[in-house]
């Protein structure tokens, strides 16, 4: 059994393009967030908002490789997989594809650490950790 | 018969919030664009991208009133109506509502002028104008 | 004596442009915020950050008119004036000009209401109100 | 002799913060761009805008590590170094520091490929390449 790949769909906003005519590279990190939110929603329950009003999951690392550009109004799918789950951190891997032809536009990875309401690193709450664990590859 | 009200749905992104815990006011103008794109898609055809690669519709006016805040992960509906259509300009009115309870979050309005590939104001192409006209109130 | 006009300078970021090659209209509201922050800094003291960690000043209205476009790397000056000051609200007027030739790019206006840490509308703290009042036109 | 480290200064915008109260991680890539623009300005001449209206330098890779958070109105310095220069690509390394105490907030790296007006990868124009080369470490 391989790790669940959760898909989130969006359409390129004009605001996300830049003067080269394509999406600004920094905005892919926002799309990774859209994918990650969908992952939390699928795994943890239908309301990542309530979790994120108590805890934070700030990024400690983020990276992307850009393979092909995309333009205003292109339909996009963000495919998110949980890569590694530890007691306090979780990392995700992303693929961004054009949803018409499946062309790979970008890949990326982010690592997040759980913090409590006061901003202190803490263990990921057990219920959330178990729910996320269901999204891990079998080898874990 | 009243003017068509085209609905576009989105979910609040964490990137769209600010340190007050709610969506930053400037981002509503991006949501108005999401609504407007959906309006073009519904009225003009399924590909506003191809039109906007030849012509531009830069904003000459934009305004918003904020009625209630919204937070990360809130489901949002943007309701877009064509307000006025002239030979070179078009104006839209927007309502932003929380999609769970219909609460009104913001209203707004933008006015756009058609420009050609060289950036010169020009008449809205006849086919597009007629298609948009179908989205006007009956009194027009 | 006329109202102080506080100037803030910035350079157009590539991220702020869109596929038309010019700055996306929604980003002018961020520039208004840059001007407003400079106004607070000039009037209230050198640290708007500390005020805004206790109180909020969410926008209840925002509007802009766009006169001319601008491009990546253009030097910009945002000129901010206090327009009206009440017990709980304050409104600002903005001019955005290209800093090389003074060309008017946009004008705008925002209205803000003071809220306390719990998000409830409240009176603008007296010290802040008096400091802002120094930025009002003489006729007030 | 070590590689020139070009400094760019900015102040955290409220629009750049998120609901955790700190700057959204994706916005650091915009700050890297601010640093890179300053590097081009210092090395290539005072007008990166004119170069970027003919050529593009889209990112093919981007990464960041986040060491400490920062808040609205914090003064920031972005320190940019040229890391590697090839015939068609250039990579930059960044440090983002709080400008009051020098605290390291983030480090990052981006790789860019030169493209011509038609979007095709091409050699970096000789004049630009030589100017950038002056910003390389001696060991290169």
């Amino acid at each position: 059994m391989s790790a669940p790949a959760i898909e989130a769909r969006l359409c390129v906003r004009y605001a996300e393009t830049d003067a080269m005519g394509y999406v600004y590279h920094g905005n892919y990190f926002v799309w990774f967030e859209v994918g990650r939110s969908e992952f939390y929603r699928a795994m943890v329950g239908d309301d990542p908002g309530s979790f994120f009003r108590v805890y934070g999951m700030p990024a400690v690392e983020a990276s992307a490789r850009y393979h092909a550009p995309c333009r205003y109004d292109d339909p996009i799918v963000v495919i998110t997989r949980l890569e590694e789950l530890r007691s306090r951190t979780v990392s995700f891997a992303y693929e961004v594809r054009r949803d018409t032809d499946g062309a790979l536009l970008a890949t990326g990875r982010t690592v997040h650490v759980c913090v409590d309401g006061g901003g202190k690193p803490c263990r990921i709450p057990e219920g959330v950790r178990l729910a996320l664990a269901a999204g891990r590859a079998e080898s874990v």
Side-chain angles (χ1 to χ4, degrees), chain A:
Chain A
M1 194 194 86
S2 66
I6 300 299
E7 300 189 347
R9 281 174 169 75
L10 56 89
C11 224
V12 175
R13 300 171 176 185
Y14 211 87
E16 294 172 331
T17 62
D18 70 21
M20 268 187 276
Y22 302 110
V23 169
Y24 184 73
H25 68 281
N27 291 327
Y28 285 78
F29 293 94
V30 178
W31 293 358
F32 294 166
E33 181 224 302
V34 171
R36 201 162 59 240
S37 288
E38 194 63 38
F39 192 95
Y40 282 118
R41 212 173 279 126
M43 291 293 141
V44 180
D46 61 355
D47 187 5
S50 64
F51 172 71
F52 283 106
R53 281 196 279 281
V54 179
Y55 294 90
M57 280 283 197
V60 289
E61 288 178 42
S63 61
R65 283 172 179 268
Y66 305 94
H67 300 277
C70 60
R71 300 203 281 191
Y72 168 62
D73 203 42
D74 280 351
I76 301 295
V77 57
V78 183
I79 303 163
T80 303
R81 288 181 179 83
L82 195 151
E83 201 181 70
E84 190 179 32
L85 181 62
R86 297 191 171 189
S87 62
R88 292 160 179 253
T89 64
V90 55
S91 63
F92 294 97
Y94 312 90
E95 288 175 31
V96 175
R97 292 180 179 277
R98 190 161 43 218
D99 207 17
T100 44
D101 59 2
L104 183 65
L105 306 179
T107 54
R109 182 173 176 270
T110 61
V111 183
H112 303 264
V113 62
C114 193
V115 297
D116 61 24
K120 296 271 180 209
C122 67
R123 296 177 68 89
I124 298 170
E126 192 63 10
V128 171
R129 216 182 58 78
L130 287 173
L132 286 174
R136 283 191 305 184
E138 61 170 346
S139 64
V140 178

